[in-house]
Amino acid sequence: MTEETNDEKYVLVIGSATLDVIGKLQSYPEPGTSNPAKIRTSFGGVARNIAENLARLGCPVKLVTAVGDDQFGDQLRAYTVNAGVDLSETLVVPGGRTSTYVAMINDSGGLHLAADDMVVLKEISPEVIQAKADLFKQAAMICVDANLATETLDAIFNLAHRMGVPVCADPATTSLAHRFLPYLDRIDLITPNTSE
């Protein structure tokens, strides 16, 4: 393992990291009762997924996210570090719950219902971003997802603009895509799906 040199550029990814629990229903869902399904778990979160994919492609990447000091947070961090992502700037929140996304896929493959618990991401405040300003200086690019609070996004875009670092933005979901509207002139690459 080599030490990072001071002039080595990396992609700085900021946003969500989750435990994903996905159930694929085996028949039309019946409300108010248990429904047969194939259920799988994996580690996700838009920012974490981007960071893992970049690392697996050989790109140096640092991930700023927040996880709880719980079993899922420990497992998520171990898995992500093993994929090659630098998590040295990730927040481990005492007493916090690691973000979880639960989805039910209907028998035809479409999303039936989803729920998420991402309250721990509130720990990534504008003050935390300002304290990590030096990370922006050596970044080749900033990647951010819309799961962050609007004031945190504002701090990220302002820092990136001030330091001349290009920004890639992923809206994450249709209900959050509007959070990027004030920054469209500062986004160099955006990756929405059709609905976003």
Side-chain angles (χ1 to χ4, degrees):
M1 189 171 187
T2 60
E3 289 185 21
E4 182 179 298
T5 59
N6 288 338
D7 60 352
E8 184 177 12
K9 293 286 190 179
Y10 48 80
V11 177
L12 179 61
V13 184
I14 310 171
S16 62
T18 64
L19 169 70
D20 290 348
V21 181
I22 311 295
K24 186 169 190 313
L25 295 163
Q26 300 301 291
S27 60
Y28 189 81
E30 292 183 42
T33 188
S34 180
N35 289 269
K38 289 183 180 176
I39 298 174
R40 67 171 177 82
T41 61
S42 61
F43 296 114
V46 174
R48 198 213 65 82
N49 289 346
I50 291 169
E52 179 183 342
N53 288 328
L54 288 171
R56 291 190 184 279
L57 289 169
C59 179
V61 58
K62 292 179 183 281
L63 175 61
V64 175
T65 190
V67 297
D69 63 346
D70 53 18
Q71 177 184 356
F72 295 142
D74 292 345
Q75 292 171 350
L76 183 152
R77 286 186 293 130
Y79 177 87
T80 306
V81 166
N82 191 52
V85 178
D86 181 341
L87 290 185
S88 60
E89 301 296 333
T90 284
L91 307 178
V92 180
V93 180
R97 293 185 313 273
T98 296
S99 296
T100 305
Y101 172 80
V102 179
M104 295 305 296
I105 307 300
N106 61 33
D107 56 347
S108 61
L111 180 63
H112 177 70
L113 179 68
D116 63 60
D117 175 359
M118 296 194 183
V119 69
V120 74
L121 285 180
K122 291 181 181 176
E123 297 295 326
I124 307 175
S125 64
E127 293 76 21
V128 166
I129 296 302
Q130 291 297 335
K132 296 182 181 296
D134 284 348
L135 293 175
F136 286 67
K137 290 178 184 174
Q138 287 181 229
M141 175 175 270
I142 309 296
C143 289
V144 62
D145 76 40
N147 286 298
L148 299 168
T150 53
E151 58 271 17
T152 301
L153 290 172
D154 198 51
I156 291 167
F157 278 99
N158 286 340
L159 260 177
H161 181 70
R162 193 167 74 227
M163 297 188 184
V165 183
V167 176
C168 171
D170 190 309
T173 185
T174 306
S175 63
L176 298 177
H178 70 278
R179 291 185 179 178
F180 287 144
L181 285 174
Y183 312 109
L184 291 178
D185 62 337
R186 298 185 189 184
I187 295 173
D188 297 273
L189 174 65
I190 191 164
T191 59
N193 62 25
T194 304
S195 62
E196 292 161 357

